[in-house]
Amino acid sequence: MRRLLIIIALLSLLVLPGSPPARAEGGLQLVKVVDGLSSPVFITHAGDGSGRLFVVEQDGVIRILQDGQMLSTPFLDIRDRVANSGEAGLLSVAFPPDFAEKGYFFVYYNHDGELAGPEPGDDGNNAGYDTVIARFHVSAADPNQADPASEERILIRSQPYENHNGGLIAFGPDGDLYIGLGGGGSGGDPQNQAQNLGTWLGKILRIEVGATGTYTVPHSNPFVANLEAKPEIWHWGLRNPWRWSFDRSTGDLWIADVGQGAYEEVNFVAAGVGGLNFGWRCKEGNADYNPDPPCRGTLT
């Protein structure tokens, strides 16, 4: 298993009014597609052949970009229940295979109000905004509008602290829904959540979902037979997997994991491989961070 540790220098490109697009070596350039957005954090398509792009705004709105124009009416507006604060908010949307026929989709957001209390491993901490994975249905009258009242919450997890929510959901090549959850927040993972198989925090989960109901756990998940582990867990030992992606050609998984202070990580996982421990908080990158207690399982 390969691990790529990347130190990234962020280069700012300034385009002045009236000037041509900034051109980089190799012929790449920046071109403004749309403006007027409010804290856009994610963009994707529905895989339905419509050519629409769905832009997620942190405050709780999903907008549609179609034929180069932003539609005036939001696709989904759930600002009445989203906590738009710091790292919390509406963080991603995922469309299932054959979305055009199924007419439902899923979002990851932080709820403005307490839905669930702290779990035993949280040491009573409950300062963050609860994580919600919810299903919504598209309006039968207009394919460009979803029904905010159709929400079905299929997974809820209280957050011990306000940061490190993770925030990405995506359907994998196998048709299952994958969910990235951060380690619960604060600095240094004080409750050692990422190394605890008894919690969803600091993990990537894998579940099966449909048009109704909550979810089921795939029988091939790596910890379904472990009575001390949450059966939804696919990978563990992550600090804050804010963004990750499946390779469309190979099905391989690339996980961007936010580091503590010295290292950032991009982790590679071959297609279909589950159950890997990426080492946090024992390791930050390849360096020791806090190996007390020692890490269990395979460190990649």
Side-chain angles (χ1 to χ4, degrees), residues 29 90 112 137 150 281:
Q29 64 182 23
L90 176 59
D112 188 12
H137 288 262
S150 68
R281 72 181 184 182

mmCIF file of all heavy atoms in Angstrom, residues 29 90 112 137 150 281:
data_model
loop_
_atom_site.group_PDB
_atom_site.id
_atom_site.type_symbol
_atom_site.label_atom_id
_atom_site.label_comp_id
_atom_site.label_asym_id
_atom_site.label_seq_id
_atom_site.Cartn_x
_atom_site.Cartn_y
_atom_site.Cartn_z
ATOM 1 N N GLN A 29 -5.166 27.664 -17.949
ATOM 2 C CA GLN A 29 -5.613 28.994 -17.581
ATOM 3 C C GLN A 29 -6.866 28.917 -16.725
ATOM 4 O O GLN A 29 -7.575 27.909 -16.720
ATOM 5 C CB GLN A 29 -5.887 29.844 -18.820
ATOM 6 C CG GLN A 29 -7.031 29.342 -19.693
ATOM 7 C CD GLN A 29 -7.224 30.191 -20.928
ATOM 8 O OE1 GLN A 29 -6.301 30.858 -21.368
ATOM 9 N NE2 GLN A 29 -8.422 30.168 -21.483
ATOM 10 N N LEU A 90 -23.681 22.604 5.288
ATOM 11 C CA LEU A 90 -24.030 21.636 4.253
ATOM 12 C C LEU A 90 -22.747 21.382 3.470
ATOM 13 O O LEU A 90 -22.208 22.295 2.840
ATOM 14 C CB LEU A 90 -25.127 22.183 3.347
ATOM 15 C CG LEU A 90 -25.541 21.327 2.150
ATOM 16 C CD1 LEU A 90 -26.046 19.957 2.583
ATOM 17 C CD2 LEU A 90 -26.601 22.047 1.321
ATOM 18 N N ASP A 112 -28.450 22.335 12.974
ATOM 19 C CA ASP A 112 -28.498 23.458 13.904
ATOM 20 C C ASP A 112 -29.465 23.132 15.028
ATOM 21 O O ASP A 112 -30.628 23.537 15.019
ATOM 22 C CB ASP A 112 -28.917 24.733 13.167
ATOM 23 C CG ASP A 112 -28.806 25.967 14.048
ATOM 24 O OD1 ASP A 112 -28.200 25.856 15.133
ATOM 25 O OD2 ASP A 112 -29.318 27.023 13.656
ATOM 26 N N HIS A 137 -35.947 13.703 -1.888
ATOM 27 C CA HIS A 137 -36.533 13.320 -3.170
ATOM 28 C C HIS A 137 -36.734 14.556 -4.039
ATOM 29 O O HIS A 137 -37.032 15.650 -3.538
ATOM 30 C CB HIS A 137 -37.858 12.594 -2.960
ATOM 31 C CG HIS A 137 -37.713 11.221 -2.400
ATOM 32 N ND1 HIS A 137 -37.741 10.087 -3.177
ATOM 33 C CD2 HIS A 137 -37.507 10.798 -1.123
ATOM 34 C CE1 HIS A 137 -37.577 9.026 -2.419
ATOM 35 N NE2 HIS A 137 -37.431 9.429 -1.160
ATOM 36 N N SER A 150 -39.140 16.401 2.191
ATOM 37 C CA SER A 150 -39.022 14.963 1.973
ATOM 38 C C SER A 150 -37.864 14.337 2.753
ATOM 39 O O SER A 150 -37.596 13.148 2.598
ATOM 40 C CB SER A 150 -38.832 14.681 0.477
ATOM 41 O OG SER A 150 -37.560 15.155 0.027
ATOM 42 N N ARG A 281 -4.204 8.640 15.876
ATOM 43 C CA ARG A 281 -3.284 9.682 16.263
ATOM 44 C C ARG A 281 -1.891 9.162 16.576
ATOM 45 O O ARG A 281 -1.020 9.930 17.006
ATOM 46 C CB ARG A 281 -3.838 10.431 17.484
ATOM 47 C CG ARG A 281 -3.782 9.610 18.751
ATOM 48 C CD ARG A 281 -4.348 10.303 19.980
ATOM 49 N NE ARG A 281 -4.144 9.459 21.136
ATOM 50 C CZ ARG A 281 -4.560 9.743 22.365
ATOM 51 N NH1 ARG A 281 -5.200 10.880 22.592
ATOM 52 N NH2 ARG A 281 -4.343 8.932 23.348
#
